[in-house]
């Protein structure tokens, strides 16, 4: 029997700075726009709600306390109203959704995780993944996750997996998804990735800065080629409203604006099982004259491409690294998928085992 063939949408968007609720509304609007254009899978960037902590890359930690309070206030609960609204919208539009969030938890007022949710077209959460290790300056905001979310969502569209940003550099995390038969791999990214501050007088600002555009594509393409799967690179956008919002919280708004505006924006695009770019269609903000393009970078938009999972088969004949091209007698990978909690009360745990994936009542 033939494998599924469907349209997927990647949303290249900026959050509404200062408001998780308004960013949620914007997210739902783009879900509906994608569904109106026949998309059945809709993908959003890393920490799409409420946004990414770019400030930690350019200001000293001692000056970042107000930003951390902001993130603690605007991060969302997985069982909170924002995610419930998105689950409801997924059910109503009949789309599978991959969404990056900054997640807060009920047991602490300030423990946050860089998380990604895969929500089914029935509105239920299929995968709840917390980034295994915050990268570089992200450690000032987020805590390390666990292996609970190293799962693929087995949907009617196919087997869908997701990793967050730097996790796509981790070969064991990637292999864990490959070994579950992953057919579509989602990699989510921030808009910019500052590792060096620009020097006054440089002809090219930020010379020597990490090249997030090239590095993201190399990692995503390598995974597609190794797994023989389709890839969706989904990056955020740092727009002028976000830059202004961040700048106004610093002691030197002009300097902050100049610095944040100097870095290249990451790309949102689709890759085939050979790691090659797929031609895609821009359906928002304009639907009257849809543009044909390979990626979105410096402007918001919804990008749609058709994924034919039958194209995942041929390459497996050459290199099926979890099957016919694997030496299971030589290599053995063990993954701990226990969800970590700060305390387990044994008697209560026996009587009331925790439900690790929240379910909610939805209406069609």
């Amino acid at each position: 029997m033939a494998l599924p063939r469907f349209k997927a949408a990647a949303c290249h968007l900026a959050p509404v700075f200062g408001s998780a609720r308004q960013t949620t509304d914007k997210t739902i609007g783009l879900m509906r726009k994608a569904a109106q254009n026949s998309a059945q899978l809709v993908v959003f960037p890393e920490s799409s709600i409420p946004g990414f902590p770019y400030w930690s890359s350019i200001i000293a930690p001692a000056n970042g306390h107000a930003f951390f309070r902001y993130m603690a206030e605007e991060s969302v609960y997985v069982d909170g109203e924002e995610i419930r609204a998105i689950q409801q919208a997924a059910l109503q539009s009949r789309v599978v959704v991959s969404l990056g969030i900054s997640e807060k938890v009920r047991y602490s007022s300030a423990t946050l995780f860089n998380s990604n949710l895969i929500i089914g077209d029935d509105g239920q959460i299929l995968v709840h993944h917390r980034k295994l290790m915050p990268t570089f300056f992200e450690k000032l905001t987020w805590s390390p996750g666990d292996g609970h979310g190293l799962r693929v969502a087995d949907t009617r569209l196919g087997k869908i997996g997701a990793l967050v940003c730097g996790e796509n550099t981790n070969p064991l995390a990637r292999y864990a998804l490959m070994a579950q038969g992953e057919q579509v791999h989602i990699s989510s990214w921030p808009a910019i990735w500052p590792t060096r501050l620009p020097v006054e007088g440089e002809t090219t600002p930020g010379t020597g800065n990490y090249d997030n555009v090239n590095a993201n594509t190399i990692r995503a393409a390598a995974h597609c080629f190794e797994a023989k799967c389709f890839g969706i690179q989904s990056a955020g956008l740092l727009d002028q409203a976000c830059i202004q919002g961040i700048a106004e919280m610093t002691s030197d708004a002009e300097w902050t604006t100049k610095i944040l505006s100097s870095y290249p924006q990451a790309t949102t695009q689709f890759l085939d099982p050979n790691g090659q770019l797929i031609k895609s269609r821009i359906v928002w903000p304009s639907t009257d004259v849809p543009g044909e393009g390979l990626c979105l970078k410096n402007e918001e938009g919804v990008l749609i491409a058709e994924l034919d999972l039958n194209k995942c088969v041929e390459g497996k004949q050459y290199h099926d690294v979890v099957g016919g091209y694997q030496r299971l007698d030589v290599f053995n990978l063990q993954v701990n998928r226990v969800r970590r909690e700060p305390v387990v009360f044994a008697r209560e745990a026996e009587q009331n085992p925790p439900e690790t994936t929240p379910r909610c009542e939805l209406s069609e």
Side-chain angles (χ1 to χ4, degrees):
M1 188 169 70
L3 294 172
R5 181 175 179 173
F6 62 93
K7 289 182 180 178
C11 300
H12 191 74
L13 83 161
V16 179
F17 187 81
S19 178
R21 181 66 252 184
Q22 291 181 54
T23 305
T24 299
D25 293 340
K26 185 175 183 178
T27 299
I28 291 172
L30 294 190
M31 288 168 58
R32 291 173 176 158
K33 177 63 65 176
Q36 290 167 6
N37 284 273
S38 302
Q40 295 174 274
L41 169 63
V42 187
V43 177
F44 292 92
E46 176 179 12
S47 194
S48 192
I49 302 174
F52 189 85
Y54 301 107
W55 48 84
S56 293
S57 66
I58 64 169
I59 66 173
N63 296 330
H65 305 307
F67 284 110
F68 184 72
R69 288 195 298 271
Y70 161 77
M71 285 295 285
E73 291 170 1
E74 293 301 323
S75 293
V76 297
Y77 295 111
V78 170
D79 61 352
E81 61 176 328
E82 294 88 358
I83 301 304
R84 280 199 299 271
I86 288 170
Q87 290 178 265
Q88 184 73 51
L91 172 63
Q92 291 173 343
S93 294
R94 293 298 183 185
V95 292
V96 177
V97 177
S98 176
L99 174 70
I101 61 170
S102 180
E103 176 195 355
K104 56 185 175 183
V105 292
R106 302 288 183 184
Y107 58 73
S108 171
S109 61
T111 292
L112 308 177
F113 294 100
N114 185 350
S115 299
N116 195 85
L117 305 176
I118 299 180
I119 301 169
D121 56 10
D122 61 353
Q124 299 302 327
I125 295 174
L126 305 179
V127 179
H128 173 194
H129 175 57
R130 291 171 175 167
K131 187 176 181 181
L132 295 170
M133 181 56 64
T135 310
F136 192 27
F137 55 79
E138 293 176 1
K139 293 180 177 68
L140 295 170
T141 300
W142 290 308
S143 299
D146 54 39
H148 178 76
L150 288 176
R151 307 166 188 267
V152 298
D154 196 354
T155 73
R156 63 182 176 82
L157 305 177
K159 295 181 178 181
I160 302 169
L163 291 176
V164 182
C165 193
E167 292 185 314
N168 293 279
T169 312
N170 187 326
L172 299 184
R174 296 193 299 104
Y175 182 85
L177 298 185
M178 292 184 206
Q180 297 171 68
E182 185 183 43
Q183 295 165 307
V184 178
H185 180 76
I186 295 164
S187 56
S188 59
W189 314 89
I192 62 173
W193 185 250
T195 57
R196 290 175 179 266
L197 294 178
V199 176
E200 195 68 36
E202 281 182 336
T203 54
T204 304
T207 298
N209 185 69
Y210 186 83
D211 185 350
N212 65 322
V213 177
N214 189 46
N216 295 358
T217 300
I218 287 173
R219 286 177 284 182
H223 184 81
C224 291
F225 183 79
E226 292 169 10
K228 311 306 179 193
C229 70
F230 282 91
I232 304 175
Q233 284 179 252
S234 179
L237 178 72
L238 184 60
D239 66 1
Q240 286 304 308
C242 286
I243 291 175
Q244 181 180 349
I246 295 170
E248 289 175 352
M249 291 179 65
T250 65
S251 59
D252 190 337
E254 183 178 352
W255 180 87
T256 302
T257 299
K258 179 180 178 180
I259 295 297
L260 290 178
S261 301
S262 70
Y263 297 103
Q265 301 261 358
T267 54
T268 290
Q269 57 196 15
F270 294 89
L271 303 168
D272 70 14
N274 289 316
Q276 300 298 312
L277 290 178
I278 300 173
K279 194 166 188 179
S280 48
R281 191 164 64 100
I282 301 169
V283 299
W284 181 83
S286 173
T287 55
D288 297 328
V289 186
E292 293 286 344
L294 292 175
C295 70
L296 285 168
K297 185 177 180 182
N298 295 316
E299 63 286 322
E300 284 191 305
V302 176
L303 200 63
I304 285 187
E306 186 171 77
L307 311 184
D308 181 358
L309 299 191
N310 294 285
K311 294 181 179 179
C312 298
V313 175
E314 182 178 329
K316 294 274 190 179
Q317 188 175 14
Y318 323 136
H319 303 120
D320 188 352
V321 299
V322 298
Y325 206 66
Q326 170 62 290
R327 286 293 302 274
L328 300 177
D329 58 327
V330 177
F331 302 108
N332 180 35
L333 175 63
Q334 182 176 344
V335 178
N336 183 353
R337 295 205 298 199
V338 173
R339 171 110 298 165
R340 296 298 181 182
E341 300 290 343
V343 62
V344 176
F345 298 100
R347 189 176 298 276
E348 292 181 12
E350 293 171 4
Q351 296 173 352
N352 303 297
E355 186 173 333
T356 55
T357 302
R359 296 183 65 83
C360 65
E361 296 301 321
L362 304 169
S363 58
E364 297 189 46

